[in-house]
Amino acid sequence: MWPEILLTSVLGFAIYWFISWDKEETLPLEDGWWGPGTRSAAREDDSIRPFKVETSDEEIHDLHQRIDKFRFTPPLEDSCFHYGFNSNYLKKVISYWRNGFDWKKQVEILNRYPHFKTKIEGLDIHFIHVKPPQLPAGRTPKPLLMVHGWPGSFYEFYKIIPLLTDPKNHGLSDEHVFEVICPSIPGYGFSEASSKKGFNSVATARIFYKLMLRLGFQEFYIQGGDWGSLICTNMAQLVPSHVKGLHLNMALVLSNLSTLTLLLGRRFGRFLGLTERDVELLYPVKEKVLYSLMRESGYMHIQCTKPDTVGSALNDSPVGLAAYILKKFSTWTNTEFRYLEDGGLERKFSLDDLLTNVMLYWTTGTIISSQRFYKENLGQGWRTQKHERMKVYVPTGFSAFPFELLHTPEKWVRFKYPKLISYSYMVRGGHFAALEEPELLAHDIRKFLSVLERQ
């Protein structure tokens, strides 16, 4: 019996070693055309054009008219946020939106940073580009691309940008001074949506790589959460020699290893590479993983299959759009907020910030095209694309915020990102880290750079 057990163990180890053996693959760079019609034979205009966010009285009047026609449905008694966005609190939000929110003032805030557009692969790509107001003598800023997700926008980064570009005036050392570029994913906000099927995270990564080259950066750092984490991961898989460092605050790393760890980790966590903090954040697995993901992933199934259907309703109703988006800013910030009648929204965010993000979807009419990104990336099934099975071979840093939708232990991150050099358990914060906890995220990005430069 023992020889058979030994042989099975050796064989199992050999198979595991073979499938997990570090093969430094890269994704093929390729090319694409996502604009309407067929690609012109003429050379694409590669100019970078200044852009300004604008509004009008007509736009605001139309919004107010639609809000005034909202049809209220009372919530169930004591339902809080368990059934979705509580309509009693929704009345307060839309009352402020209608009577107190100053969109023209928020447009001025949006325009505090320089905006630009440029044509890449047939699409008009929007981005903000913020340079340091001052630099220590003899120093050059570190170029940092920061990528948002859904249902966020480039506006998520407005509070963290000054901590990165002007650290000394915000109580930080000037050891690391960044030049920050925040693009809008195509189909989000002011970036043109694809006219063709198949526009996924890899295509987005390639476009953002071309954007950085167009801006004159041959080497750069990248950072992202949500879809931004996948797009940045794909950039590192496409052009690892150009990515000096990758920092993430979310990672899509579910694999056979993570599944096995989840099943056995409560009893054998230490032997499987889990820390005490990992066990606290993952167990009981039925509540903190299975039930939590079931509660929060219904939207994903809709958007992975029929995004245009629900999107048509959301694109026609500003109140429906706000409820749909702001629900995520409640329970994705802290799942326990579902027990509160106001969803805890104003514990972490201001209504001005939340409604500004909603307005970037409403005024541009991009909720449908933003939701299509789910179908293009996940509509074919899990782990069906090559990049999902590939590892990432650039220096990586990771911020593990305690209220992220799914905690990702260092062991899991390292399996996908073998050059992980910095992993931090954050003391607080959830999914929208840059907007919710800009100081914590900025500190961890700077910590990652310090570790990287000491190597």
Side-chain angles (χ1 to χ4, degrees):
M1 178 179 176
W2 286 108
E4 287 86 354
I5 293 176
L6 180 61
L7 179 61
T8 302
S9 300
V10 172
L11 182 61
F13 178 81
I15 293 172
Y16 174 82
W17 178 86
F18 179 76
I19 64 174
S20 63
W21 182 48
D22 288 352
K23 301 174 182 177
E24 295 202 20
E25 296 179 274
T26 57
L27 286 172
L29 192 56
E30 298 179 339
D31 199 5
W33 175 262
W34 306 100
T38 56
R39 189 170 196 164
S40 169
R43 185 172 179 269
E44 186 171 62
D45 177 15
D46 60 1
S47 64
I48 296 173
R49 314 179 309 278
F51 172 77
K52 188 176 182 180
V53 183
E54 297 179 338
T55 188
S56 64
D57 291 336
E58 291 76 17
E59 182 176 69
I60 296 170
H61 179 67
D62 175 69
L63 171 69
H64 289 172
Q65 279 191 316
R66 291 169 185 262
I67 290 175
D68 289 341
K69 294 178 180 179
F70 166 58
R71 297 192 297 178
F72 173 73
T73 301
L76 296 174
E77 295 176 3
D78 303 317
S79 60
C80 298
F81 262 54
H82 291 287
Y83 284 71
F85 204 104
N86 185 284
S87 53
N88 281 336
Y89 179 61
L90 183 60
K91 283 198 297 184
K92 176 190 174 182
V93 172
I94 63 174
S95 174
Y96 178 75
W97 198 3
R98 174 66 174 82
N99 303 304
F101 180 72
D102 188 342
W103 176 230
K104 289 184 178 179
K105 176 185 174 184
Q106 294 306 114
V107 165
E108 291 178 4
I109 291 173
L110 289 173
N111 285 321
R112 285 179 185 172
Y113 295 135
H115 294 248
F116 303 91
K117 283 191 174 185
T118 190
K119 209 84 168 178
I120 304 177
E121 296 192 10
L123 300 178
D124 231 5
I125 303 301
H126 162 262
F127 62 99
I128 58 173
H129 185 178
V130 187
K131 298 181 180 181
Q134 57 186 3
L135 275 170
R139 298 266 295 282
T140 56
K142 299 175 171 70
L144 174 65
L145 179 82
M146 304 188 78
V147 186
H148 66 88
W150 187 93
S153 63
F154 67 91
Y155 183 64
E156 288 180 68
F157 301 114
Y158 266 50
K159 287 179 169 58
I160 196 174
I161 285 173
L163 305 178
L164 299 170
T165 59
D166 191 17
K168 199 161 189 179
N169 283 329
H170 291 83
L172 302 171
S173 79
D174 58 7
E175 178 187 4
H176 304 294
V177 182
F178 295 91
E179 182 172 344
V180 177
I181 300 93
C182 301
S184 295
I185 298 171
Y188 289 67
F190 301 115
S191 277
E192 185 179 358
S194 173
S195 295
K196 296 173 172 56
K197 296 186 293 183
F199 185 83
N200 59 14
S201 62
V202 176
T204 307
R206 183 177 63 240
I207 283 176
F208 288 172
Y209 163 62
K210 291 179 178 180
L211 171 64
M212 294 302 279
L213 292 184
R214 190 167 293 181
L215 291 172
F217 302 117
Q218 290 294 325
E219 294 183 320
F220 44 84
Y221 302 91
I222 52 180
Q223 199 284 328
D226 196 86
W227 281 128
S229 72
L230 181 58
I231 292 165
C232 289
T233 293
N234 293 157
M235 290 181 73
Q237 292 168 324
L238 285 165
V239 288
S241 62
H242 293 264
V243 177
K244 297 184 72 174
L246 165 68
H247 187 279
L248 305 173
N249 55 279
M250 180 180 173
L252 302 171
V253 296
L254 289 180
S255 64
N256 293 335
L257 172 66
S258 55
T259 303
L260 178 66
T261 305
L262 276 178
L263 294 174
L264 301 177
R266 189 66 181 267
R267 185 179 294 267
F268 304 106
R270 186 162 60 89
F271 300 102
L272 294 170
L274 298 185
T275 66
E276 289 185 13
R277 183 61 174 150
D278 293 330
V279 173
E280 288 175 9
L281 294 170
L282 286 172
Y283 297 92
V285 71
K286 188 182 291 186
E287 170 58 32
K288 293 192 175 180
V289 178
L290 298 180
Y291 291 169
S292 179
L293 290 179
M294 286 176 65
R295 278 194 303 266
E296 297 301 331
S297 62
Y299 82 98
M300 184 182 295
H301 185 72
I302 293 172
Q303 293 173 194
C304 284
T305 54
K306 303 292 189 294
D308 289 25
T309 305
V310 67
S312 297
L314 300 176
N315 197 45
D316 193 57
S317 167
V319 177
L321 179 68
Y324 195 74
I325 287 177
L326 297 186
K327 162 63 176 62
K328 311 300 186 244
F329 281 84
S330 166
T331 50
W332 290 8
T333 298
N334 187 331
T335 185
E336 296 300 308
F337 285 174
R338 70 187 187 277
Y339 291 100
L340 304 174
E341 188 166 335
D342 65 357
L345 274 172
E346 294 175 75
R347 293 189 178 192
K348 290 289 189 173
F349 311 106
S350 72
L351 287 181
D352 280 339
D353 284 339
L354 292 171
L355 290 171
T356 296
N357 183 67
V358 173
M359 288 293 283
L360 289 172
Y361 284 87
W362 175 254
T363 58
T364 58
T366 52
I367 187 61
I368 293 177
S369 52
S370 73
Q371 292 178 154
R372 287 173 181 161
F373 208 59
Y374 282 80
K375 185 171 179 64
E376 304 296 10
N377 284 290
L378 302 174
Q380 306 305 315
W382 190 256
R383 293 181 68 81
T384 58
Q385 301 183 58
K386 182 179 179 181
H387 70 82
E388 295 175 295
R389 302 185 297 275
M390 288 174 54
K391 297 189 178 185
V392 179
Y393 294 95
V394 302
T396 303
F398 190 83
S399 301
F401 285 87
F403 294 110
E404 182 55 271
L405 291 169
L406 176 63
H407 172 63
T408 312
E410 180 177 352
K411 184 78 171 181
W412 297 5
V413 179
R414 192 176 300 280
F415 186 79
K416 174 80 173 181
Y417 304 86
K419 293 189 176 181
L420 181 71
I421 61 171
S422 173
Y423 181 97
S424 304
Y425 293 101
M426 311 306 286
V427 295
R428 61 184 178 273
H431 186 72
F432 301 98
L435 184 61
E436 180 192 351
E437 298 289 351
E439 293 85 2
L440 291 181
L441 184 59
H443 174 78
D444 201 59
I445 293 170
R446 291 163 55 85
K447 170 191 165 186
F448 165 59
L449 264 291
S450 295
V451 174
L452 178 59
E453 291 182 354
R454 285 197 300 266
Q455 289 192 334

